[in-house]
Every structure is written in C-alpha cells, then in structure tokens.
Amino acid sequence: METTHMEALIGMLTVLGILVLLVLPAVIGIVRDRRIDRQLREAEQGHPEDQKSSSKPTEPSTATWYAEGRRSKKLVSS
C-alpha cells in the first residue's frame, strides 16, 4: 500500500471510531429503556412465576419500625 492509501485508511478508521463513540451512548440508552419498558409491562400483567416468594414473612426495616413508632407517639400526644 502506498502512503496515501495508508493515510486514507487511518483517516477512515478514525472517523468510524469517532462515530461509534458518539452513537454508542444512544444505543445503550435505547436498550436500557426497552428493558425497563419490558419489565414494567411484565409487572403490570403480573407473572407470579417470575416473582420470587418465600413462605417466611418479611420483617420491616429499622427505619420503618422507627417511623411507625414516632407516628404512633405523635398521634397519642396530640
């Protein structure tokens, strides 16, 4: 290959590389939005086989317990 061909190839690859860098975030965003939309549709339809359930009831978090305690004290003191 001659020097001019090599420079043209390097220039073309540089332009294509910049194009990929500019388009890649948009493509990632589109894929992410479609995944979220699919998850929302599945949640609206309610697929019980997709949801993990356990027979053991869940305990409320410490923050929930504290907030409920404060709320009940506030109602009593009023």
Side-chain angles (χ1 to χ4, degrees):
M1 287 182 106
E2 294 179 21
T3 307
T4 55
H5 288 127
M6 190 63 95
E7 288 176 358
L9 180 63
I10 291 172
M12 186 173 59
L13 291 176
T14 303
V15 169
L16 287 175
I18 292 171
L19 180 66
V20 167
L21 288 176
L22 290 173
V23 171
L24 188 63
V27 171
I28 291 172
I30 290 169
V31 170
R32 181 175 173 262
D33 285 347
R34 286 189 179 199
R35 179 178 50 89
I36 291 171
D37 288 344
R38 187 187 69 234
Q39 289 173 346
L40 287 173
R41 273 194 309 273
E42 288 175 357
E44 285 176 354
Q45 293 173 355
H47 291 291
E49 65 273 359
D50 292 343
Q51 298 172 355
K52 294 181 179 179
S53 63
S54 65
S55 57
K56 182 179 154 188
T58 58
E59 294 290 326
S61 68
T62 305
T64 305
W65 172 80
Y66 179 74
E68 288 176 355
R70 297 276 298 168
R71 213 176 295 127
S72 64
K73 288 179 185 175
K74 195 174 195 180
L75 292 173
V76 171
S77 65
S78 297

